[in-house]
Amino acid sequence: MQLEQFKYDNKIVRNFGIATIIWGLVGMSIGLLVATQLIWPEMNFLNQYTTFGRVRPVHTNAVVFAFVGNAIFMGVYYSMQRVLKARMFSDLLSKIHFWGWQLIIVTSAVTLLLGYTSSHEYAEMEWPIDVAITLIWVVFGVNMFGTILKRRERHMYVAVWFYIATFVTIAVLHIVNSIQLPVSFWKSYYVYAGVQDALVQWWYGHNAVAFFLTTPYLGMMYYFLPKMANRPVYSYKLSILHFWSLIFIYIWAGPHHLLYTSLPSWVQSLGVVFSIMLIAPSWGGMINGLLTLRGAWDKVRTEPMLKFMVVALTAYGMATFEGPLLSLKQVNAIAHFTDWIVAHVHVGALGWNGFLTFAVLYFIIPKIYKTPLYSKKLANVHFWIGTLGILFYAIPMYWAAVVQGLMWKEFTPEGVLKYPNFLATTLEILPMHMMRAVGGALYLTGVIIMTYNLIKTMKAGKLVADESAEAPVLQPVVKSEPTKHRRLERKPVLFMVLALVAILIGGIVEMIPTFTISSNVPKIASVQPYTALELQGRDLYIREGCVNCHSQTVRPFRSETARYGEYSKAGEFVYDMPFLWGSKRTGPDLHRLGGKYPNKWHFDHLLDPTITSPGSIMPAYPWLIEQTLDNNLLDKKMNAMRVLGVPYSEEEIQNAFTDLRKQADEITTDLAANQVEIRSDSEIIAMIAYLQRLGKDIKAEAPEAVEEIVLSDN
Amino acid sequence: MFKQITNLNGDEIYLIASLWVFLVFFVLVACMLFWMKKDHINHMKDIPFDDGESKKESNQSLQK
């Protein structure tokens, strides 16, 4: 049999590895900053570019797309070359992929801090960056499929299936979730509104977790764990069942993020049922990983990277048990909008993604530098300090969630809310937030130790940029293979198409009826489009990232209707592009805020929240008073809204500036009557106009027009 | 608990149809697994250990 000589590209693996470490340090440091901002508002530094609402998306995107993203590419580029016995298809494409991705990360961080945000969670970047992500993802796909096509191993190992599913599903998710109508280079509106936008966002958001944070990592687990343990995967059959069941079921589960909202109840129920079913493939994968260590548990004692792997798999098992648990409506009613969700996400991110990444780094760097790890002792220190960090992070967050969730729902024997002031529930959990920050600091310390250890390892060795290898030439298939899956394993394009079909079914079943059957979003006659000033105010609300702390959807519970007012209906959001329901209540829900307080209260609250709410941890927004409202894009924004279906008349658009000034003058006059002198063209006036509009339209209609369903909390 | 998946005001068809789709899909995958040959499974499991580079490394270490 003829052997071919070739070389693996280790340089690109090293580059992605270094980027993983750098962005990990950056993303986690920013995480520590936002954790302290949730204890001491002074940590916002009274500066718009360092305020929580803008910094928090930088943290999430830095960790997900910069740290985890680079780790995925590091693991994929290392393992794929070896299981396919081929160098990457094109060195040029590898370089474009690497530098393009880093450019996207830097641009995203800068623009998010500048306030250019679409507000869709985990996809906040504006449309030019979305386009750039698409292009670089295509480069990655071409490079990956090019490598698959020139492979010297006929059948694709299970890791490659997970990489293919990741590529195709992220492409679909990103494109569907990014369909926006640009107004300018850094401003756009989603084409979806309200309930439909919420469904698209959480279909994307949940499956970004599935296909960016999970499937590529499972692929890496199936390659690196056998290599580290020096024994094959426990059950190859289980890996096949794991793969197909996981990608098929995962895509349906997104609506569990929207339980008790105005999303049609049948979509919510589909999300619940498939979330519970998801335990089976998730745990199948975890068990397959842990059982791969059968007979090799003694190595776990001596090999730090295997320790990291075991905790990563355990965290995966915990997070994938907790996910279905949280999707049960009874649990969700208490846990949603609390720190439980934050804890759940971080068990996955710190435990599963973080620890698996560290294990892979400890495996790859000594391999490609042809030298032993500088210090196993330091790696062990990293392991224990990181594990403690996860515990110190997660346990206080669970505690805070239960305390706050129950406080929100507690009534006195007289039948009134025991804690009517939302702030009282926030202040109660500050000690837990402090412990969480300690946990984050411990985890970050571990990463700094790892960085030192890996730098010393790199210095001790020398990078083998092009590593020699040899493999037999791939011979043409001469006889038919007996089973369908075996044939499928050597047909990458067919494999990709079938994976695409598997992931499309769930999305289609949930989305098409929600978009096309009008009864799913009943119209409410009294709901009117925002005025020009309110629209501007809404864009400021988006720019400042208020949605990171305040929800805008009142669930049909007695505890919520007593606290906030009437529960939210689907028809109220038909002009909300994007929807701003949020996913966390660090502050109270704002959907029924309109008319609740006078304009002066809002002015004081934005100037310094402690004036109206002593002890508040909300940052101050003095720049809203100083800065002049930019109306240059106003007519373009209203025209864009009209294209998207908002019934603005020609006259309303033509008179937009006059109407805006008139409404601003009314608010300014009212503030002047309350001893506040302010220019009517300052940004705060538009913000107040928007906040005063929230949730008011429904009050103009008789309540019998909508069905009353208020659930008891008991 | 089960009210949330049975009381859907006539929209149960989406849920039932979705579960049937999954069941059919699951049975198809299970059938494929059932007919797989053991030698192929063993070959696939060993792919990470047969990367050309490992063989070379082990040959080199044997020579030493």
Side-chain angles (χ1 to χ4, degrees):
Chain A
M1 197 178 289
Q2 188 195 343
L3 284 178
E4 265 186 344
Q5 308 286 326
F6 58 97
K7 291 178 190 311
Y8 293 131
D9 183 0
N10 283 343
K11 195 174 173 188
I12 190 67
V13 176
R14 189 275 311 264
N15 290 351
F16 275 119
I18 290 173
T20 302
I21 297 167
I22 292 171
W23 291 122
L25 289 167
V26 172
M28 291 169 206
S29 302
I30 298 172
L32 188 56
L33 171 68
V34 293
T36 57
Q37 288 176 335
L38 290 172
I39 309 164
W40 303 290
E42 301 78 24
M43 294 302 289
N44 290 282
F45 307 117
L46 277 178
N47 183 313
Q48 59 187 316
Y49 307 111
T50 52
T51 294
F52 181 84
R54 298 195 192 187
V55 179
R56 189 254 180 183
V58 177
H59 162 61
T60 52
N61 284 292
V63 169
V64 175
F65 298 109
F67 169 61
V68 171
N70 277 299
I72 291 169
F73 301 134
M74 166 186 69
V76 168
Y77 275 48
Y78 183 89
S79 60
M80 201 163 62
Q81 294 187 82
R82 283 154 178 87
V83 293
L84 297 174
K85 298 192 184 84
R87 188 183 176 89
M88 288 309 295
F89 172 63
S90 159
D91 287 2
L92 178 65
L93 289 182
S94 298
K95 278 182 191 156
I96 294 173
H97 178 196
F98 176 77
W99 288 110
W101 195 253
Q102 311 317 314
L103 189 64
I104 286 168
I105 292 166
V106 173
T107 317
S108 300
V110 172
T111 54
L112 288 173
L113 291 176
L114 289 172
Y116 299 128
T117 170
S118 70
S119 92
H120 264 204
E121 216 167 336
Y122 311 123
E124 285 91 347
M125 285 71 79
E126 266 295 353
W127 70 271
I129 299 178
D130 288 341
V131 172
I133 292 170
T134 310
L135 293 175
I136 294 300
W137 198 253
V138 169
V139 167
F140 168 52
V142 171
N143 210 8
M144 181 167 84
F145 276 92
T147 312
I148 292 172
L149 292 176
K150 69 170 200 177
R151 68 193 185 277
R152 294 182 182 83
E153 170 61 54
R154 188 174 315 285
H155 295 93
M156 296 179 297
Y157 182 63
V158 55
V160 180
W161 317 344
F162 278 101
Y163 302 154
I164 291 174
T166 299
F167 168 74
V168 71
T169 313
I170 291 296
V172 172
L173 292 169
H174 176 67
I175 290 167
V176 175
N177 186 53
S178 302
I179 302 179
Q180 292 146 292
L181 183 62
V183 176
S184 69
F185 197 71
W186 291 116
K187 180 67 193 169
S188 64
Y189 291 118
Y190 281 103
V191 298
Y192 320 104
V195 169
Q196 292 156 351
D197 193 35
L199 179 60
V200 171
Q201 147 70 35
W202 283 114
W203 167 80
Y204 163 85
H206 178 78
N207 289 302
V209 172
F211 288 89
F212 204 83
L213 302 177
T214 306
T215 53
Y217 270 67
L218 287 169
M220 283 153 68
M221 184 269 282
Y222 275 120
Y223 175 79
F224 287 103
L225 187 59
K227 290 289 279 186
M228 290 173 189
N230 200 26
R231 56 196 60 231
V233 64
Y234 171 66
S235 167
Y236 197 75
K237 281 188 176 183
L238 183 55
S239 72
I240 296 175
L241 198 61
H242 174 208
F243 173 79
W244 288 107
S245 307
L246 190 89
I247 68 161
F248 185 90
I249 295 175
Y250 233 128
I251 209 88
W252 300 72
H256 71 210
H257 291 259
L258 298 166
L259 298 183
Y260 290 113
T261 67
S262 46
L263 186 76
S265 58
W266 65 266
V267 188
Q268 296 184 31
S269 297
L270 266 182
V272 172
V273 171
F274 276 88
S275 299
I276 293 163
M277 289 162 66
L278 201 45
I279 293 180
S282 301
W283 276 47
M286 176 192 70
I287 289 166
N288 211 3
L290 288 176
L291 288 180
T292 298
L293 290 169
R294 73 205 181 287
W297 283 96
D298 56 309
K299 288 185 182 172
V300 177
R301 280 205 300 274
T302 53
E303 278 300 330
M305 59 190 170
L306 280 176
K307 286 192 179 89
F308 279 106
M309 273 289 187
V310 169
V311 172
L313 280 163
T314 311
Y316 176 62
M318 282 169 62
T320 52
F321 175 73
E322 196 183 14
L325 185 73
L326 284 166
S327 74
L328 291 173
K329 281 190 161 181
Q330 288 83 349
V331 180
N332 193 275
I334 295 172
H336 198 53
F337 295 127
T338 72
D339 284 323
W340 194 336
I341 310 304
V342 184
H344 170 58
V345 168
H346 281 84
V347 167
L350 301 173
W352 167 239
N353 296 113
F355 269 36
L356 201 142
T357 301
F358 305 146
V360 171
L361 279 166
Y362 282 127
F363 177 84
I364 284 180
I365 298 294
K367 281 262 177 202
I368 61 177
Y369 277 82
K370 300 292 173 204
T371 183
L373 184 66
Y374 171 69
S375 168
K376 269 193 181 182
K377 201 172 178 181
L378 279 180
N380 276 319
V381 171
H382 174 200
F383 169 77
W384 286 111
I385 207 168
T387 306
L388 274 178
I390 296 171
L391 295 176
F392 269 91
Y393 190 106
I395 294 169
M397 286 288 95
Y398 290 126
W399 186 1
V402 174
V403 168
Q404 196 175 31
L406 293 177
M407 285 177 86
W408 287 344
K409 289 184 174 294
E410 193 167 353
F411 283 87
T412 65
E414 291 77 27
V416 294
L417 284 171
K418 188 168 180 186
Y419 303 99
N421 182 2
F422 188 96
L423 185 57
T425 72
T426 306
L427 298 178
E428 191 70 25
I429 59 171
L430 286 190
M432 291 76 139
H433 280 193
M434 289 175 193
M435 276 190 266
R436 179 260 294 270
V438 171
L442 282 172
Y443 194 87
L444 179 60
T445 307
V447 178
I448 293 168
I449 292 169
M450 177 194 75
T451 307
Y452 172 76
N453 202 357
L454 292 180
I455 289 172
K456 294 296 277 184
T457 308
M458 287 176 186
K459 282 189 172 169
K462 190 171 184 302
L463 174 71
V464 181
D466 297 298
E467 186 164 354
S468 299
E470 59 185 27
V473 180
L474 196 61
Q475 301 297 324
V477 180
V478 288
K479 61 173 186 177
S480 172
E481 286 176 313
T483 61
K484 282 193 171 57
H485 207 274
R486 192 170 172 180
R487 284 200 292 277
L488 191 57
E489 285 163 358
R490 61 177 169 80
K491 293 178 184 274
V493 177
L494 179 63
F495 198 98
M496 184 184 74
V497 171
L498 288 180
L500 181 65
V501 171
I503 61 108
L504 282 180
I505 293 172
I508 288 170
V509 170
E510 287 175 351
M511 277 189 208
I512 291 188
T514 310
F515 278 67
T516 56
I517 301 172
S518 58
S519 62
N520 280 314
V521 186
K523 295 270 189 307
I524 299 172
S526 62
V527 173
Q528 296 297 312
Y530 295 104
T531 65
L533 187 65
E534 290 158 4
L535 188 65
Q536 290 285 66
R538 192 170 200 270
D539 283 341
L540 292 175
Y541 185 97
I542 292 170
R543 183 188 78 185
E544 297 306 334
C546 306
V547 72
N548 286 292
C549 291
H550 294 282
S551 60
Q552 279 191 26
T553 186
V554 181
R555 298 180 297 175
F557 297 123
R558 186 176 151 227
S559 60
E560 296 208 2
T561 54
R563 184 182 299 278
Y564 304 117
E566 200 168 334
Y567 70 91
S568 305
K569 284 92 183 166
E572 292 185 85
F573 303 106
V574 291
Y575 304 128
D576 280 14
M577 285 173 268
F579 84 114
L580 293 172
W581 294 358
S583 61
K584 173 77 174 65
R585 284 180 184 157
T586 303
D589 186 277
L590 301 183
H591 191 213
R592 299 291 174 212
L593 185 66
K596 193 171 178 180
Y597 302 107
N599 293 331
K600 170 77 162 59
W601 186 94
H602 286 293
F603 181 89
D604 290 344
H605 190 236
L606 290 166
L607 172 66
D608 178 2
T610 58
I611 296 174
T612 54
S613 315
S616 171
I617 58 165
M618 179 172 141
Y621 292 85
W623 56 90
L624 291 178
I625 296 168
E626 294 149 15
Q627 289 175 180
T628 303
L629 185 65
D630 182 0
N631 291 320
N632 285 331
L633 292 174
L634 179 58
D635 51 348
K636 281 186 182 168
K637 285 180 182 177
M638 292 182 79
N639 270 316
M641 284 286 175
R642 190 161 70 167
V643 169
L644 298 174
V646 179
Y648 285 128
S649 65
E650 193 60 44
E651 194 186 355
E652 280 174 307
I653 295 174
Q654 277 175 359
N655 296 333
F657 293 99
T658 317
D659 293 343
L660 180 144
R661 273 193 290 270
K662 193 178 161 203
Q663 191 180 2
D665 286 342
E666 284 169 13
I667 296 170
T668 315
T669 308
D670 177 65
L671 287 172
N674 288 285
Q675 289 78 48
V676 176
E677 292 299 328
I678 177 87
R679 289 178 292 115
S680 63
D681 61 354
S682 66
E683 289 183 335
I684 199 168
I685 301 296
M687 181 71 104
I688 292 173
Y690 172 63
L691 295 174
Q692 291 289 31
R693 172 66 186 276
L694 283 175
K696 274 169 90 172
D697 284 6
I698 192 85
K699 293 170 188 168
E701 193 175 50
E704 60 265 25
V706 286
E707 194 186 351
E708 281 291 338
I709 313 166
V710 177
L711 304 181
S712 165
D713 291 302
N714 303 317
Chain B
M1 174 187 165
F2 292 103
K3 278 183 190 166
Q4 61 186 267
I5 55 171
T6 55
N7 186 15
L8 292 171
N9 306 318
D11 286 331
E12 294 86 352
I13 183 66
Y14 293 111
L15 204 65
I16 293 163
S18 305
L19 290 172
W20 269 110
V21 169
F22 174 71
L23 187 67
V24 170
F25 184 85
F26 189 84
V27 168
L28 283 175
V29 176
C31 286
M32 284 201 294
L33 289 180
F34 185 76
W35 298 114
M36 280 190 101
K37 291 273 185 281
K38 195 158 188 181
D39 60 337
H40 176 65
I41 290 167
N42 288 334
H43 167 71
M44 294 302 288
K45 281 167 92 167
D46 287 337
I47 285 179
F49 303 99
D50 179 27
D51 53 12
E53 167 204 352
S54 311
K55 208 179 275 177
K56 263 192 135 180
E57 275 176 6
S58 56
N59 287 342
Q60 280 167 359
S61 61
L62 280 174
Q63 282 161 11
K64 280 174 193 171

